[in-house]
């Protein structure tokens, strides 16, 4: 929390629609991350970006896309190709060896 | 299976008791981190222990690391109802610490 903002807190979409989740930070950190969490599970890395205009796939990138046009922003798009998009999505940034997390967005696809 | 595996999956104790959670991992690590997550919230970083450290303290938290057994433990002493949360260990697959792998977590309930 603190300087990491994720909006909205809850998001509902119809099946087949793309949806973009917002992650903004005002802490001037370079590295940002997106994770997915399913009920009762740990987090899995979707994408990360170490610098503007550069990003890398994580463990479960299929069906997701990201952009990093500004240092402050790292939006995640959940595309219609993602078979099970309903989940809790967490954004994080890195300070030293530690990752700091935002409050999350709970996405429900109906 | 995931790099980190927590044990037990769930733990229920009375306020004032100590809570111990364990984490096992598979590959060599530079460091291991513990996080707490309250229901429906983001993760809060608790403590980081490096591979050359064996024990670390922070307030009521004590973390140990045994690299020969590839395991770590988190001890919360004198637990409080506010400690009720899920606790996760995380290790990095890469040297830069970008690709964190989390275990499934231990769900701790502290009864008042």
């Amino acid at each position: 929390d603190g300087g990491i903002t994720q909006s909205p807190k809850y998001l509902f979409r119809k099946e087949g629609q793309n949806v973009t989740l917002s992650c903004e930070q005002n802490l001037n950190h370079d590295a940002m991350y997106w994770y997915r969490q399913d009920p009762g599970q740990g987090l899995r890395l979707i994408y990360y970006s170490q610098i503007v205009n550069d990003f890398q796939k994580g463990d479960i990138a299929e069906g997701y896309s990201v952009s990093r046009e500004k240092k402050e922003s790292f939006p995640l798009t959940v595309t219609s190709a993602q078979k099970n998009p309903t989940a809790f999505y967490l954004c994080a940034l890195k300070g030293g060896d530690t990752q700091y997390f935002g409050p999350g967005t709970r996405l429900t696809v109906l | 299976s995931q790099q980190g595996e927590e044990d037990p999956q769930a733990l229920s104790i009375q306020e004032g008791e100590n809570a111990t959670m364990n984490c096992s991992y598979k590959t060599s690590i530079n460091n291991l981190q513990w996080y707490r997550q309250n229901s429906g919230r983001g993760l809060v970083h608790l403590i980081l222990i490096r591979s050359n450290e064996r024990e670390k303290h922070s307030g009521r938290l004590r973390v140990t690391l045994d690299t020969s057994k590839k395991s770590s433990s988190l001890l919360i002493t004198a637990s409080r109802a506010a400690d009720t949360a899920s606790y996760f260990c995380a290790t990095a697959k890469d040297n830069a610490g970008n690709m964190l792998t989390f275990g499934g977590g231990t769900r701790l309930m502290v009864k008042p």
Side-chain angles (χ1 to χ4, degrees):
Chain A
D1 283 270
I4 311 170
T5 304
Q6 289 188 247
S7 61
K9 187 172 182 179
Y10 298 96
L11 192 53
F12 297 88
R13 280 294 182 269
K14 291 183 179 179
E15 194 171 350
Q17 290 182 333
N18 291 356
V19 59
T20 297
L21 281 60
S22 167
C23 178
E24 304 281 330
Q25 57 118 344
N26 61 4
L27 299 172
N28 202 36
H29 286 268
D30 286 312
M32 297 182 75
Y33 307 80
W34 274 106
Y35 291 88
R36 169 187 173 130
Q37 185 179 32
D38 292 286
Q41 307 275 324
L43 279 65
R44 291 183 289 167
L45 181 65
I46 304 172
Y47 268 100
Y48 66 98
S49 168
Q50 292 184 270
I51 199 168
V52 173
N53 292 324
D54 184 61
F55 46 82
Q56 307 294 329
K57 291 182 179 180
D59 297 316
I60 55 165
E62 186 176 350
Y64 299 97
S65 66
V66 293
S67 63
R68 187 84 186 277
E69 296 177 2
K70 300 185 300 182
K71 191 174 187 178
E72 300 79 17
S73 179
F74 188 39
L76 172 75
T77 297
V78 184
T79 75
S80 56
Q82 169 50 233
K83 290 181 171 45
N84 297 298
T86 294
F88 190 46
Y89 290 88
L90 289 147
C91 177
L93 53 83
K94 190 156 171 277
D97 290 328
T98 300
Q99 292 189 19
Y100 299 94
F101 287 81
T105 291
R106 189 167 301 279
L107 172 66
T108 302
V109 175
L110 305 170
Chain B
S1 60
Q2 300 187 68
Q3 164 77 327
E5 299 281 353
E6 284 91 343
D7 170 61
Q9 289 188 333
L11 181 60
S12 181
I13 59 174
Q14 293 294 135
E15 207 165 25
E17 295 180 337
N18 294 343
T20 299
M21 289 156 260
N22 303 296
C23 169
S24 60
Y25 58 92
K26 293 185 172 61
T27 61
S28 297
I29 59 170
N30 291 325
N31 61 65
L32 184 144
Q33 303 180 55
W34 284 91
Y35 288 85
R36 183 187 77 228
Q37 183 181 37
N38 290 85
S39 182
R41 307 287 296 273
L43 274 69
V44 174
H45 183 258
L46 295 176
I47 198 162
L48 179 151
I49 186 165
R50 301 191 186 283
S51 59
N52 61 353
E53 297 175 308
R54 291 296 167 258
E55 187 170 310
K56 203 161 181 180
H57 296 254
S58 177
R60 292 184 295 113
L61 306 180
R62 174 183 162 233
V63 169
T64 62
L65 179 64
D66 186 335
T67 53
S68 67
K69 295 181 179 178
K70 291 186 169 60
S71 68
S72 174
S73 68
L74 169 67
L75 168 68
I76 304 174
T77 60
S79 65
R80 305 166 182 169
D83 294 327
T84 294
S86 291
Y87 292 82
F88 296 91
C89 67
T91 57
K93 293 196 290 188
D94 61 320
N95 288 334
N98 286 311
M99 301 190 73
L100 287 188
T101 301
F102 288 79
T106 292
R107 277 153 286 287
L108 173 67
M109 175 173 286
V110 181
K111 299 175 184 176

